Amino acid sequence: MRDVLYLAWRYLAHHRIKTAILVTSIALIVYLPIGLNVLIGKSADELTARAVSTPVLVGAKGSPLELVLNSLYFESATPALTRHAEVDRIAETDLALPIPLYVRFKSRGHPIVGTTLDYLDFRGLEIAAGRRPAVLGECVLGSRVAESLGVGPGGSVISSPESVFDIAGTYPLKMKVVGVLAPSYSQDDLAIFVDLKTAWVIEGVIHGHQDLAAPEAASQVLDRDGDTITANASVVQYNEITPENIDSFHLHGDFSDYPISAVIAVPGDQKSGVILMGRYEGDDATAQIVKPKKTIDELLDTVVTVQGFVVAALGLVALATVATAFLVFMLSLRLRRREIDTMTKIGGSRARVAAVLCSEIVAVLLAGGLLALGLTLATGRFGEAAIRAFLVG
Amino acid sequence: MIEISDLLFRYPEGTFSLRVPAFSVAEGERIAVIGPSGSGKTTLLNLIAGIATPLEGRVTTDGEELTALGEADRRDFRVQRIGLVFQEFELLEYLGVMDNMLLPYRVNDVLRLDGEARERARRVAERVGLADKLDRNVDKLSQGERQRVALCRALCTEPAVVLADEPTGNLDPANKGIVLELLLESVAATGSTLVAVTHDHDLLPSFDRVVDFKQFYEPETA
């Protein structure tokens, strides 16, 4: 047996490129459906975990998936906006704790999440360095944002304009970094958290500018009508909130009309959650209430259906690969006819010659299987981190 | 040593018949077999080695009546007592010199690959000037060197009979002489009987006897 294995090994080692191609083909065809299954399973776990931990979401009527992806993963386009009045509406029911979210702006590609301190508590986010935001214009960074931007407490980040061509749009706001969150290995690691009012400052609905009542602003005033002052465009708008100018920041209009993207409702108990769902699931013309888990499950159902097609396609590819491998083997046998004849002529037994050839096939299949197993184990071991990086990054 | 009597051989395709009423080679004799292409010289070697079996008659090699043995027994006999040298060397490209020489030991269990066998192979390689190339892959060798490896493979089991089919047919004139000389010397050293098929009439004087095979050849007329 040792001689058989030796001859088989020498043949495979001599034709190492052909062997490597065969082993890789077999490994991939075995690994792809299994690895895909493992990877999708891990993705599903990863997506579901965050959805499960978020009981109920309230937002404007529209795509529930967009609302969930934006609110939970800070991905996807900004959903249809709702009003801050929804927060008050939920609060007034006493059925759930409302946590507003305004996920619309970004800073160097990282989402800026306007919310309240309740969000940090709800997600169990700990401060690793510095402190929580306390004043308008302050922010805390997710761990990976701090790492990628190289910014910590005492530094600053600037919001990005929504469109460089929109001169009437939002102006960049320089925000002071007061803290960095400990890693949570979730989407929160890649977000910048500000107070909801700071998000509105970025939008411009809360703003600060030079005092128009001061004598030195007289040249910029176009009209005075009681408390209403109309000024020209040369009025200085503040794009950084400092102790000196913070008092000049003010809002116009009704606070409850201000925009938010969603409200996370955290019911006190299951019954409260059911009642809250009932109140929204009536004939509400403007708002929708969704259970993120249900939405994500629907998404995963679609993914699983697609996976089925992919696996079926891979099955066909596998058949083609097996057929090709068989053809390669048969052609190889033909090419090795003289070699086989030589072994037989010098006295090699048929069984021994067949054993050498079979050993080569078994070795290739075994190596392919082991490689596939290794890849599958690696997917199991590192797949979660890769998915997390994919989802977070 | 080799006795053939009343032999009739015909290929299944029926293109020709080989009739050998009587043919013998004495122990230690070195004979050359000549004859036109297709006259059955290679077939004769195959019959003596037990690779082919006749329709009629008897073939006895080294005291063993091959026509009475089954296929497996003939293979066992062949690997132990026959050394084969082919015109196109028939070396395994993926093996080194030493591994090619030891191939008979690896393809049949009746031979035992031990230290003694390796030492014997080393001595044979030394005799033909391949001692410093034992680990080299055969695809890195010249034609002359490759035929010497084939020669070593045939000799390292110390066979009673060496059958060489055009052993110098693929070699240049310089290598022809060297390889033939090595072949004759080696069989003399081991006391083996040699039957060599050749077309090269310049080499014939080196043999003890020459047999012209056209006398046995019968074109199929049916």
Side-chain angles (χ1 to χ4, degrees):
Chain A
M1 192 62 192
R2 203 173 57 178
D3 292 325
V4 168
L5 294 177
Y6 180 77
L7 290 175
W9 159 248
R10 289 303 306 266
Y11 179 84
L12 295 175
H14 186 75
H15 299 95
R16 56 180 73 88
I17 294 174
K18 187 176 96 176
T19 304
I21 290 171
L22 273 173
V23 167
T24 309
S25 306
I26 290 163
L28 284 179
I29 215 64
V30 173
Y31 162 72
L32 282 175
I34 300 172
L36 187 68
N37 207 34
V38 170
L39 209 59
I40 286 179
K42 296 271 179 191
S43 306
D45 292 348
E46 203 51 42
L47 282 169
T48 307
R50 197 156 167 97
V52 165
S53 67
T54 311
V56 177
L57 273 177
V58 175
K61 272 219 186 289
S63 160
L65 184 61
E66 211 165 69
L67 177 67
V68 170
L69 291 180
N70 179 267
S71 307
L72 268 61
Y73 311 104
F74 313 138
E75 290 288 337
S76 159
T78 308
L81 296 177
T82 186
R83 299 175 309 131
H84 190 265
E86 287 303 336
V87 178
D88 303 328
R89 181 178 167 186
I90 295 166
E92 280 164 15
T93 64
D94 269 340
L95 294 168
L97 167 71
I99 303 171
L101 287 174
Y102 194 19
V103 187
R104 173 176 171 182
F105 305 105
K106 294 193 174 198
S107 172
R108 292 173 66 180
H110 301 293
I112 297 171
V113 180
T115 185
T116 60
L117 294 177
D118 288 337
Y119 182 86
L120 303 184
D121 296 331
F122 169 65
R123 292 281 187 219
L125 301 172
E126 301 285 339
I127 296 287
R131 59 171 175 79
R132 292 177 164 209
V135 180
L136 200 65
E138 291 182 344
C139 67
V140 291
L141 308 182
S143 60
R144 287 188 58 187
V145 178
E147 195 182 303
S148 70
L149 298 181
V151 178
S156 60
V157 293
I158 300 171
S159 66
S160 309
E162 283 187 301
S163 167
V164 290
F165 302 109
D166 183 10
I167 56 170
T170 59
Y171 286 88
L173 178 71
K174 186 176 180 182
M175 294 168 286
K176 186 179 173 189
V177 177
V178 295
V180 173
L181 296 172
S184 63
Y185 306 105
S186 69
Q187 284 69 17
D188 296 321
D189 290 348
L190 262 190
I192 298 166
F193 295 91
V194 298
D195 182 69
L196 193 56
K197 292 190 186 73
T198 303
W200 286 333
V201 172
I202 296 170
E203 184 165 7
V205 291
I206 294 180
H207 56 251
H209 49 74
Q210 71 180 109
D211 183 6
L212 293 176
E216 57 269 26
S219 62
Q220 285 138 341
V221 173
L222 297 174
D223 184 40
R224 281 180 200 274
D225 182 12
D227 287 342
T228 306
I229 301 172
T230 308
N232 63 25
S234 65
V235 172
V236 177
Q237 296 268 348
Y238 300 127
N239 60 3
E240 183 180 1
I241 302 165
T242 62
E244 290 76 33
N245 68 19
I246 191 168
D247 291 336
S248 76
F249 278 81
H250 56 278
L251 55 93
H252 295 275
D254 188 352
F255 195 72
S256 63
D257 285 335
Y258 279 25
I260 54 173
S261 53
V263 186
I264 297 174
V266 188
D269 50 43
Q270 199 176 353
K271 184 181 169 189
S272 304
V274 173
I275 296 170
L276 187 66
M277 293 288 289
R279 291 197 183 171
Y280 273 91
E281 281 176 354
D283 189 21
D284 194 304
T286 57
Q288 65 172 331
I289 188 162
V290 296
K291 281 192 165 181
K293 185 175 180 310
K294 190 175 167 228
T295 306
I296 292 297
D297 283 347
E298 284 168 5
L299 172 68
L300 290 174
D301 282 348
T302 309
V303 171
V304 167
T305 308
V306 173
Q307 183 197 4
F309 288 123
V310 172
V311 168
L314 285 172
L316 289 175
V317 175
L319 271 179
T321 306
V322 168
T324 309
F326 180 72
L327 189 67
V328 166
F329 178 68
M330 294 311 285
L331 287 173
S332 168
L333 267 189
R334 182 178 276 190
L335 287 172
R336 297 175 71 184
R337 191 70 254 166
R338 282 179 64 168
E339 174 195 333
I340 294 165
D341 282 348
T342 302
M343 286 198 266
T344 315
K345 276 183 180 172
I346 64 173
S349 67
R350 284 184 198 283
R352 179 63 67 97
V353 175
V356 172
L357 298 174
C358 287
S359 299
E360 289 168 12
I361 298 170
V362 169
V364 167
L365 290 175
L366 208 61
L370 284 174
L371 184 59
L373 180 69
L375 287 170
T376 306
L377 289 175
T379 304
R381 171 75 180 79
F382 302 109
E384 204 170 335
I387 291 160
R388 198 177 286 141
F390 174 73
L391 290 174
V392 171
Chain B
M1 169 54 63
I2 300 171
E3 292 286 342
I4 296 178
S5 58
D6 304 323
L7 180 137
L8 169 63
F9 177 84
R10 189 179 292 133
Y11 279 108
E13 309 88 64
T15 48
F16 89 111
S17 297
L18 184 69
R19 280 184 192 279
V20 185
F23 176 82
S24 63
V25 184
E27 187 173 345
E29 196 178 10
R30 301 172 302 178
I31 72 159
V33 177
I34 59 168
S37 294
S39 61
K41 302 184 296 293
T42 301
T43 305
L44 173 77
L45 297 188
N46 286 342
L47 288 162
I48 295 171
I51 295 168
T53 48
L55 285 175
E56 295 170 13
R58 287 165 44 148
V59 178
T60 306
T61 305
D62 194 25
E64 196 77 54
E65 190 188 333
L66 299 184
T67 38
L69 297 180
E71 195 181 336
D73 289 333
R74 289 202 309 275
R75 274 200 302 268
D76 290 350
F77 167 82
R78 194 156 64 237
V79 78
Q80 291 177 96
R81 285 145 80 175
I82 305 280
L84 287 164
V85 183
F86 305 97
Q87 180 179 356
E88 292 184 25
F89 325 140
E90 307 300 347
L91 300 174
L92 270 56
E93 300 291 320
Y94 53 88
L95 297 179
V97 170
M98 187 62 155
D99 283 330
N100 261 293
M101 288 167 61
L102 295 174
L103 188 63
Y105 292 90
R106 295 196 189 277
V107 295
N108 196 315
D109 278 335
V110 293
L111 292 179
R112 190 155 162 261
L113 180 55
D114 52 15
E116 198 183 321
R118 288 175 194 280
E119 186 50 41
R120 197 163 47 240
R122 202 165 279 122
R123 278 200 307 272
V124 175
E126 203 171 327
R127 201 185 302 146
V128 301
L130 286 173
D132 58 338
K133 291 175 178 162
L134 291 177
D135 295 327
R136 192 171 294 184
N137 208 285
V138 291
D139 58 6
K140 304 273 191 298
L141 300 179
S142 68
Q143 294 288 88
E145 287 172 327
R146 293 167 74 129
Q147 188 58 307
R148 277 188 268 167
V149 176
L151 197 59
C152 292
R153 182 179 64 194
L155 293 168
C156 71
T157 54
E158 294 189 331
V161 179
V162 174
L163 302 173
D165 191 359
E166 304 263 13
T168 57
N170 265 358
L171 300 178
D172 55 66
N175 269 311
K176 271 182 188 174
I178 296 169
V179 167
L180 183 70
E181 200 176 317
L182 285 171
L183 176 61
L184 293 169
E185 274 176 20
S186 300
V187 293
T190 54
S192 307
T193 303
L194 171 67
V195 179
V197 167
T198 182
H199 274 115
D200 199 332
H201 287 238
D202 294 344
L203 305 176
L204 299 182
S206 308
F207 290 89
D208 300 331
R209 183 157 61 102
V210 176
V211 177
D212 189 344
F213 224 63
K214 70 181 170 198
Q215 59 186 305
F216 303 120
Y217 168 59
E218 284 183 10
E220 195 70 11
T221 51

